[in-house]
Amino acid sequence: MKLPHPASLTTRLGLLFALIATLTFAGVGTYLYQSLTSQLESHDDLELIGKIALIRHFLLETSSVKEIQDDPHRFLDVAAVHDGLIIILKSADGNILMQNHSDHGALSTLPVAAANQTPGKASLGRWTLNPGLSARTVSAWGVLGNTHEQVQIIVARTDSDRMALLRAHRNKVFAAVFFGALLAALSGYIVVRQGLRPIRAIAKQAQSITAQRLEMRLDVTAAPKELQMLVLAFNDMLDRLHRSFQRLSQFSADLAHDLRTPINNLMVQTQVALSQPRSIEDYQSLLASNEEEYERLARMVENMLFLARADHANFVLNKQRLDPYNELQHIADYFEGIAEDAQVQLAVDARGSLEADPILFRRAVNNLVANAIRYTPKGGVVRLATQPMQEGMAITVTNPGIGITPKHIPLIFDRFYRGDDARSDSASSTGLGLAIVQSIMMLHGGRAEVESAPDAMTTFRLVFPSSS
Ligand SMILES: Nc1ncnc2c1ncn2[C@@H]1O[C@H](COP(=O)(O)OP(=O)(O)O)[C@@H](O)[C@H]1O
Ligand SMILES: [Mg+2]
């Protein structure tokens, strides 16, 4: 079979894996990058504070400002100045005494730590020397040993080497994220493919089920836990299909059988009549007897057609609000003659109202009443009543009699199902009456049910839901 082309689950999960891996790696990478950045920064800050201490010590051993101005290199040597380090000394009145870097734009405006203080957070910070060059910087007062003159010390460390280091690190993180995601996508794809194997196995099993092998079921024990529900549901569906299929086969067999009997009767009677010359009266009685069979056939075909139409989803109901008392009384009047012949009484006890298609309502109740009269012994009473229910209104038809044995109860609503005694009475019984009742109730969104105790009371109940 040609499959449509939706995104494959494997690809989708593989990509999702890759996305999750990318986000996770990127998050972890960013975190590590940030912590490396701040660690390097605080490392630099410690170096700056160390330089301040060193320079203060040197100043204490220096007798005058002039000494610094005269030989700045000696000073720089002592301070172990390297490439990225900028040192500026200013006198208390703001004159620059010494600097190893002149291209520094505006000087940092950070607070200056007092001479007797180790510089803290407040005097540490970033200083943009000029566009493209920034530095960590700290500033503190130092004191000359001899004159006790105050000198401002500014130490800065340019960021460029740190930045280069971080850049290299960042590139490594990018590469790791990229390859990590690729690896995750690939392994995700493989893992998902592997994980979906049971589905393919189930599909293969399902493929081998055909109409001739509807009794086959998928193997629940072989399915993984997550798929067991699906497999069970599928097996349930097969059960239902199997039953429907069997019923359908049974239905065609019954239909053929039920059509054969009247047609055979017609054929045999006609053949016998034609085998020798007959009187007009003989022909007339033959035709009269044939008419009965034709009526039976016509009724059967009409019932079949009704059931076929009711099976269609587009059957239109003409729902109306009905007064059950009027309706049941009307039906009782209609059956009066038949009931009298059978020496059975009809009693109506109804109130309330319900919503139904009037023609179908009458047809359903008629079928029940016809059955009830047939199975009620002489002198019995068939009761037609209403029964308010939670979901709406029910009509009940109750009769005394032989009842229905429990094992037959699930079958009596099936098409062509007839009790053994009804089967012999083939002129009036087609076995479609209750099937039609059932169909009508389905059309109304309601249900038909029966309660029966053998040799006691049988009650058929039609539940019409109230439209909310
Ligand atoms: N009131 C009843 N009491 C006992 N059995 C009944 C009653 N109504 C129906 N049945 C049983 O249900 C079967 C199916 O009924 P139905 O579908 O109306 O077919 P039919 O009336 O043509 O036999 C009947 O053959 C009979 O065995
Ligand atoms: Mg019937």
Side-chain angles (χ1 to χ4, degrees), residues 239-252:
D239 281 345
R240 289 192 298 274
L241 280 180
H242 194 194
R243 274 199 300 274
S244 302
F245 197 75
Q246 278 178 329
R247 219 175 296 147
L248 209 63
S249 317
Q250 187 62 41
F251 180 60
S252 351

Side-chain angles (χ1 to χ4, degrees), residues 367-368 370-371 374-375 428-434:
N367 285 357
L368 294 185
N371 283 349
R374 169 141 33 106
Y375 291 102
S428 53
S429 169
T430 60
L432 291 175
L434 290 178

